[in-house]
Amino acid sequence: MFLGLDLGTSGVKALLVDGEGRAIGSADASYDVSNPAQGWSEQDPSDWVAGVKAALSALKSAHPKAFGAVQGLALSGHMHGAVLVDAAGDVLRPCILWNDTRSHVQATTMDSDPRARAISGNIVFPGFTAPKLAWVAENEPEIFARVSRVMLPKDYVVWWLTGRFATEMSDAAGTAWLDVGGRAWSDDLLTLGGMEAAQMPDLLEGTDVVGQVQSARADLGLPKTCKVIAGGADNAVAACGVGALSEGQGFVSLGTSGVVLTGRDSYAPLADSAVHTFCHAVPGRWYQMGVVLAATDSLNWLSKITGQSATALSGALGDTLTVPGAVKFYPYLSGERTPHNDAAVRGSFTGLDVATDASTLTSAVMAGVAFALRDSFEAIKATGATFETALAIGGGSQSDYWTEMLATVLNIPLERPDESAFGAALGAARIAMCGVTRANPTEVMTKPPVANIIHPQTNLVQAYEDAYAGFASAYPTLKAMP
């Protein structure tokens, strides 16, 4: 048996699989995000530990025999977060999350140095880890002076499980401290960020063994021989879960953030496009992706405003996709990554009138997110990647209406896999399998069976194309707004 843990922004999912990769059981636990100031997003690492404990306890209770046979586990985790610990391993402040944009000034300063893009292969975005530490150095110097180690979110849990400070290539690639082509910490980038190599965790490949679960975690009920495998960043691990390792293998994710991703067999960055080029969670491969910071997060925001659940809002639209409405939504609730690299731009509705109701707003939010994903889609295609089809994953892809809208906006068929609900948790379990058995990832991380294919509505493609053109042209106006 093997365990995959997906440490998400809003909760953790634990998936138990057998030696053939078949799901035996799953469990979830949720936690909160704190937004203490505009553009800030933080989380208490102890909440992740509590979530992992709760999810594992639920799995153990439901499947005691299988749980007792677990040979290895691996984690997927949300990227870029800055967990700062002192020499004793105590957390110094709440983790600054991936969608926190407070360090936009520091990111711009770092990005202005030609070495940053040349070595990392990426723009230094405000959400990346390095500018977060620069912000702490400038604004919380007493904390910065005590920083012994910096960890990514999943790696904090790995340290809690094993006692070892370690990370792996796919998460490290999102720090702006890594030589992404060389797959090693860069002394030049560390110096640029005011950091030292001694503050960095051990650097492994995603399928490498970190160590065994330490005796202090015996209360989890895992076998003493259970190995912890390094794992990977959420999108890289999700790609492992759907077999997107190589050229032409990709997916579109409607999760908290939105992602368009494709595997690459070689390192081919194009930083100026605002497309991320990162190491994959398996050795010798990379991937490229465009990121929308607020995808289902936009619908969840509308849910809070209206007092209706996201499921209720989506269900009220019915089953038949309609033409884009007059009300437009721009999903820049936390700024935007691809293609704008703009931490300051903010979301907006336009075209509101007295007849606007909740369903109109819901349709506008879904369309705005789809158009933002189209922006990333076009940016990745500009690097030479091609998409004849793509897998649709993430919680939002469970909505037939939203997935059909997205297929129509992208004008390609979208395939929904059977295991779409497991996503990165399945990818993490597959990484655990490869880490323990040393199996070839290409033999384990295969494309899952396709449950159904959502085709573009050909009679609506042009209408959505015209609406997308209007969406894309609106950014300069939004950027100029105070």
Side-chain angles (χ1 to χ4, degrees):
M1 299 294 167
F2 301 92
L3 272 170
L5 296 174
D6 178 22
L7 191 75
T9 310
S10 57
V12 61
K13 178 185 286 291
L15 177 66
L16 181 63
V17 304
D18 65 16
E20 301 299 320
R22 293 183 293 256
I24 302 300
S26 65
D28 306 272
S30 61
Y31 35 74
D32 296 324
V33 174
S34 173
N35 304 108
Q38 183 176 357
W40 291 28
S41 184
E42 299 183 342
Q43 221 157 36
D44 184 344
S46 66
D47 290 344
W48 307 331
V49 169
V52 168
K53 284 183 175 181
L56 293 182
S57 177
L59 273 183
K60 180 183 175 184
S61 296
H63 307 280
K65 185 176 180 180
F67 193 86
V70 171
Q71 295 182 32
L73 68 86
L75 276 90
S76 158
H78 46 92
M79 296 182 73
H80 313 308
V83 182
L84 315 181
V85 301
D86 63 16
D90 294 328
V91 176
L92 295 170
R93 68 171 328 283
C95 173
I96 306 176
L97 295 180
W98 58 273
N99 56 350
D100 187 294
T101 57
R102 77 184 74 179
S103 62
H104 58 93
V105 173
Q106 292 78 15
T108 299
T109 299
M110 295 177 70
D111 191 57
S112 67
D113 189 306
R115 292 175 296 175
R117 297 188 187 187
I119 298 172
S120 75
N122 294 278
I123 292 172
V124 181
F125 289 90
F128 282 15
T129 317
K132 292 181 171 74
L133 268 294
W135 182 93
V136 172
E138 293 179 24
N139 294 274
E140 300 173 347
E142 71 288 351
I143 290 178
F144 185 78
R146 297 173 59 198
V147 174
S148 175
R149 297 273 188 167
V150 180
M151 288 180 280
L152 286 304
K154 78 171 192 323
D155 301 323
Y156 178 80
V157 178
V158 168
W159 168 76
W160 175 78
L161 286 168
T162 67
R164 182 180 178 186
F165 293 105
T167 190
E168 46 65 52
M169 301 298 173
S170 64
D171 234 354
T175 62
W177 291 317
L178 190 78
D179 176 346
V180 175
R183 301 173 89 94
W185 296 121
S186 165
D187 289 337
D188 283 346
L189 293 183
L190 288 169
T191 300
L192 180 62
M195 303 298 293
E196 299 177 356
Q199 294 171 302
M200 297 297 107
D202 298 340
L203 190 57
L204 307 173
E205 291 289 352
T207 52
D208 286 344
V209 176
V210 178
Q212 291 183 333
V213 176
Q214 60 180 328
S215 58
R217 306 294 167 235
D219 59 326
L220 297 175
L222 291 164
K224 293 181 180 180
T225 55
C226 177
K227 295 178 180 178
V228 178
I229 311 303
D234 50 5
N235 291 300
V237 178
C240 294
V242 296
L245 302 182
S246 303
E247 304 282 344
Q249 300 174 338
F251 66 76
V252 180
S253 174
L254 273 171
T256 302
S257 60
V259 173
V260 180
L261 181 148
T262 183
R264 304 304 298 259
D265 294 335
S266 61
Y267 177 59
L270 187 60
D272 293 350
S273 69
V275 167
H276 299 325
T277 302
F278 291 150
C279 303
H280 217 312
V282 297
R285 295 177 191 263
W286 289 259
Y287 68 99
Q288 288 183 310
M289 68 177 183
V291 177
V292 175
L293 288 178
T296 59
D297 220 17
S298 292
L299 190 60
N300 292 335
W301 167 82
L302 183 64
S303 171
K304 294 177 184 177
I305 297 297
T306 60
Q308 300 183 50
S309 70
T311 301
L313 289 171
S314 177
L317 297 179
D319 299 324
T320 304
L321 184 65
T322 58
V323 297
V327 176
K328 309 296 183 186
F329 176 70
Y330 304 88
Y332 309 135
L333 300 179
S334 302
E336 193 55 293
R337 286 270 185 94
T338 312
H340 303 304
N341 183 29
D342 190 340
V345 68
R346 285 296 177 264
S348 177
F349 278 110
T350 61
L352 300 172
D353 63 29
V354 293
T356 300
D357 57 14
S359 290
T360 303
L361 296 178
T362 302
S363 181
V365 165
M366 288 182 168
V369 171
F371 292 147
L373 286 165
R374 170 73 180 272
D375 274 346
S376 287
F377 184 73
E378 295 298 331
I380 290 180
K381 287 202 298 183
T383 72
T386 58
F387 292 87
E388 292 185 3
T389 185
L391 290 162
I393 66 173
S397 70
Q398 297 177 37
S399 164
D400 291 346
Y401 190 96
W402 207 349
T403 306
E404 186 172 80
M405 177 188 286
L406 184 57
T408 303
V409 168
L410 301 180
N411 197 20
I412 60 170
L414 294 177
E415 302 174 332
R416 290 195 294 199
D418 284 341
E419 292 92 346
S420 61
F422 295 135
L426 176 61
R430 288 176 162 186
I431 289 174
M433 293 173 66
C434 291
V436 172
T437 68
R438 310 315 299 166
N440 189 323
T442 59
E443 298 175 359
V444 174
M445 299 172 187
T446 55
K447 184 177 178 179
V450 173
N452 51 43
I453 301 175
I454 307 298
H455 293 276
Q457 285 294 317
T458 54
N459 60 317
L460 295 177
V461 166
Q462 190 58 52
Y464 277 95
E465 184 70 26
D466 294 342
Y468 169 68
F471 174 92
S473 66
Y475 169 73
T477 301
L478 291 172
K479 181 176 176 61
M481 293 175 65

